[in-house]
Amino acid sequence: MSFTLAIVGRPNVGKSTLFNRLVGKRLALVDDQPGVTRDLREGAARLGDLRFTVIDTAGLEEVTDDSLQGRMRRLTERAVDMADICLFMIDARAGVTPTDQVFAEILRKRSAHVILAGNKGEGSAADAGMIEAYSLGLGEPIRMSAEHGEGLNDLYAQLMPLADEFASRTDEDAPETDIALSEETDGDEAYAAPTEAKPLQVAVVGRPNAGKSTLINQILGEDRLLTGPEAGITRDAISLRTSWAGSDGVPVPMRIFDTAGMRRKAKVQEKLEKLSVGDGLRAVKFAEVVVVLLDAAIPFEQQDLRIADLAEREGRAVVVAVNKWDIEPEKQQKLRDLRESFERLLPQLRGAPLVTVSAKTGRGLDRLQDAIMHAYEVWNRRIPTAALNRWLIGMLEQHPPPAPQGKRIKLRYMTQAKSRPPGFVVMCSHPDKMPASYSRYLVNGLRTDFDMPGTPIRLFLRSQSDKNPYKGRKKAGPSKLRKHIHGHRTDR
């Protein structure tokens, strides 16, 4: 999905009808009476060759209290904030109402890209309303009929250049991973520090109601994200820019992703929640460091392991944070149990930092920051080839490789080929016969001896020939040998 489009407008202007047409299914309830849609509904939309996420919102009404309409309006405003593009729909037959003018003003302030559409635009009854729409100051309106599918070509024409812009922005946001190292870059040199152009990218993931949005608000120092006691408030992966003061006092630019809570697949019933979980998985791919947030009050569950394992498979540095630590009665015992469970159930991330925090009070944020920065530094680490080969000799002396089927495996040479995450190549004989247990022995040794806790390590085994110049040549028989000697003497 290249971008997110939110459809907003007064009640009963046809937002859900257009939503259903774009997703190609009747996902949203449609009726003549206003106010049928109350919650946000997301869908995978298709328009020509464009693929994007579309959000159907509740009708905007002029209320500011805590009534149902007031909460619906706040939810719609949040959809406006998190969407890349807003499609503002008016009823072309009714013309521009004072309510439309109020919300046009709100959209001008809150959204960078607003497309104006006059729905129910079929027939001459809509002519006056389409002319009146210019007074909203949102550019030329699209004349459309969501019911009959008219005006979609004009919508495509306006979305196409914006889609290209967001696609290029996505490429820029994607972190550089699996960076190849040449002989020139070999060595324990400093990694590239985050900059404003390429900030440190951190995703906060976990189960619903673990306190992800509250933690990010605490990091930002302001209530930027909607929070509450109900599980599942966050529906979309939202990225926010901030900076943290580094240990040397220099601010570290950072982009932080808040994600929807991820539950076990069997419990994910709502289509909206399925889309939200998918968005959270995409956030992991855009991150460099993934913070897996646990709830101290809930035991370590399989879903926490799956989330951490996903981050490891994507090659991202992992930090485990335990939230709501301020209300945990048995702190020391709980911490020991969590460490033991994590080391036993997720050995591929052995040694990953485990930090206790309280998102509500802000305690432990300094430790979390140090853990994130250390994980990022390890993720970028480069080890000199000479040091690696000295280490390899020691590992072979301590525990030689096995000889499966009587074939002895020789490990000849080792080098680091990549970083982000660290990737190592071992040149050896019979790499296809190397047992997985011996590869784990080498990876665990690298993790321990070169201080790389918790970061994914990639180990590649490559075949290397003996470089015998006569290997594979046909042996000369006795007659050929005599001819060669005889010819040699005749020349003399």
Side-chain angles (χ1 to χ4, degrees):
M1 301 292 173
S2 56
F3 60 90
T4 304
L5 175 75
I7 307 173
V8 296
R10 288 187 296 109
N12 209 31
V13 294
K15 300 183 294 296
S16 295
T17 305
L18 178 62
F19 173 86
N20 285 341
R21 185 167 287 279
L22 289 174
V23 298
K25 300 174 186 175
R26 289 182 62 84
L27 293 183
L29 290 176
V30 177
D31 196 81
D32 289 338
Q33 64 177 347
V36 172
T37 303
R38 288 184 173 178
D39 204 347
L40 302 185
R41 182 176 291 276
E42 294 187 28
R46 181 173 184 168
L47 186 59
D49 58 352
L50 293 180
R51 304 290 181 274
F52 55 95
T53 301
V54 62
I55 306 173
D56 184 23
T57 65
L60 282 164
E61 298 187 62
E62 289 188 81
V63 284
T64 55
D65 56 17
D66 285 329
S67 63
L68 177 61
Q69 287 78 16
R71 296 200 301 274
M72 286 159 55
R73 170 173 169 161
R74 285 197 294 275
L75 203 57
T76 296
E77 287 175 343
R78 185 166 179 272
V80 169
D81 290 339
M82 73 188 191
D84 298 312
I85 306 167
C86 285
L87 179 64
F88 181 39
M89 291 182 73
I90 65 167
D91 186 336
R93 293 183 182 179
V96 175
T97 66
T99 307
D100 289 328
Q101 292 173 338
V102 169
F103 294 126
E105 185 65 31
I106 291 172
L107 288 172
R108 268 197 294 271
K109 293 175 182 175
R110 297 183 85 128
S111 180
H113 302 286
V114 181
I115 297 173
L116 178 62
N119 193 32
K120 308 178 187 178
E122 64 274 31
S124 57
D127 291 348
M130 292 304 299
I131 294 169
E132 210 177 334
Y134 283 92
S135 65
L136 293 173
L138 294 171
E140 184 178 354
I142 298 172
R143 186 170 187 148
M144 70 184 336
S145 170
E147 184 73 35
H148 302 106
E150 296 174 9
L152 293 181
N153 287 338
D154 295 331
L155 178 60
Y156 175 88
Q158 292 215 28
L159 289 177
M160 192 64 201
L162 295 174
D164 292 339
E165 178 188 330
F166 286 115
S168 62
R169 191 185 301 176
T170 298
D171 292 339
E172 291 172 10
D173 288 348
E176 290 182 272
T177 57
D178 291 323
I179 296 176
L181 302 180
S182 64
E183 291 299 321
E184 288 75 26
T185 59
D186 186 30
D188 199 12
E189 59 195 66
Y191 65 92
T195 62
E196 286 294 338
K198 283 284 182 183
L200 170 61
Q201 309 212 129
V202 179
V204 181
V205 298
R207 284 171 297 167
N209 211 29
K212 298 179 293 297
S213 298
T214 308
L215 177 67
I216 293 173
N217 281 341
Q218 194 69 246
I219 291 170
L220 297 173
E222 57 180 312
D223 291 338
R224 288 280 298 278
L225 300 173
L226 188 64
T227 61
E230 305 88 359
I233 288 180
T234 302
R235 288 271 172 84
D236 192 46
I238 301 167
S239 71
L240 300 161
R241 293 290 295 262
T242 185
S243 62
W244 266 356
S247 55
D248 54 359
V250 178
V252 179
M254 182 172 71
R255 179 184 286 113
I256 189 162
F257 293 87
D258 182 28
T259 62
M262 300 185 197
R263 298 197 293 169
R264 284 192 295 115
K265 195 172 183 180
K267 289 189 176 180
V268 179
Q269 299 296 335
E270 291 184 38
K271 191 171 187 69
L272 181 57
E273 189 175 354
K274 290 178 184 175
L275 292 165
S276 300
V277 170
D279 210 41
L281 301 183
R282 285 195 297 276
V284 169
K285 294 180 181 180
F286 276 103
E288 294 166 319
V289 180
V290 175
V291 177
V292 180
L293 194 64
L294 309 179
D295 186 337
I298 301 173
F300 208 18
E301 290 186 349
Q302 199 66 31
Q303 183 63 3
D304 299 315
L305 297 173
R306 286 199 184 97
I307 294 168
D309 184 56
L310 166 75
E312 193 277 337
R313 280 187 281 113
E314 289 293 332
R316 306 303 187 250
V318 175
V319 173
V320 181
V322 186
N323 190 24
K324 307 179 185 179
W325 198 246
D326 51 326
I327 58 173
E328 172 59 40
E330 299 289 337
K331 290 183 169 55
Q332 294 302 319
Q333 184 60 41
K334 184 74 172 184
L335 195 58
R336 279 196 295 270
D337 292 346
L338 284 170
R339 283 191 193 281
E340 188 274 329
S341 299
F342 195 77
E343 300 264 332
R344 176 170 48 84
L345 298 171
L346 215 63
Q348 63 266 44
L349 286 171
R350 182 170 290 133
L354 188 67
V355 184
T356 57
V357 297
S358 170
K360 195 172 183 180
T361 64
R363 291 190 66 177
L365 283 190
D366 52 343
R367 294 195 301 273
L368 179 61
Q369 178 184 354
D370 292 341
I372 289 173
M373 294 309 299
H374 181 66
Y376 179 71
E377 184 269 325
V378 171
W379 194 60
N380 283 273
R381 184 161 296 170
R382 300 170 182 181
I383 301 171
T385 301
L388 278 174
N389 283 287
R390 284 195 300 271
W391 170 85
L392 182 62
I393 291 169
M395 294 293 282
L396 293 174
E397 289 175 352
Q398 186 177 335
H399 185 45
Q405 299 172 353
K407 293 185 178 179
R408 187 166 160 245
I409 300 174
K410 296 180 182 177
L411 278 65
R412 296 187 173 89
Y413 177 78
M414 186 175 187
T415 187
Q416 184 174 359
K418 294 179 179 180
S419 67
R420 304 167 69 98
F424 302 91
V425 174
V426 178
M427 308 305 289
C428 63
S429 61
H430 312 296
D432 55 322
K433 292 183 171 55
M434 177 73 79
S437 58
Y438 199 81
S439 295
R440 283 197 300 272
Y441 163 70
L442 293 176
V443 168
N444 290 335
L446 284 167
R447 198 183 298 286
T448 303
D449 297 336
F450 291 104
D451 188 27
M452 293 192 288
T455 199
I457 293 177
R458 306 289 187 248
L459 187 70
F460 307 97
L461 302 173
R462 297 281 184 270
S463 177
Q464 186 181 43
S465 66
D466 294 327
K467 295 187 178 178
N468 182 347
Y470 297 102
K471 188 176 181 179
R473 288 192 183 182
K474 195 173 181 181
K475 290 184 179 179
S479 59
K480 286 188 177 180
L481 191 60
R482 278 196 297 271
K483 282 181 184 178
H484 173 75
I485 293 169
H486 178 74
H488 189 64
R489 286 175 177 171
T490 307
D491 292 341
R492 280 183 177 180

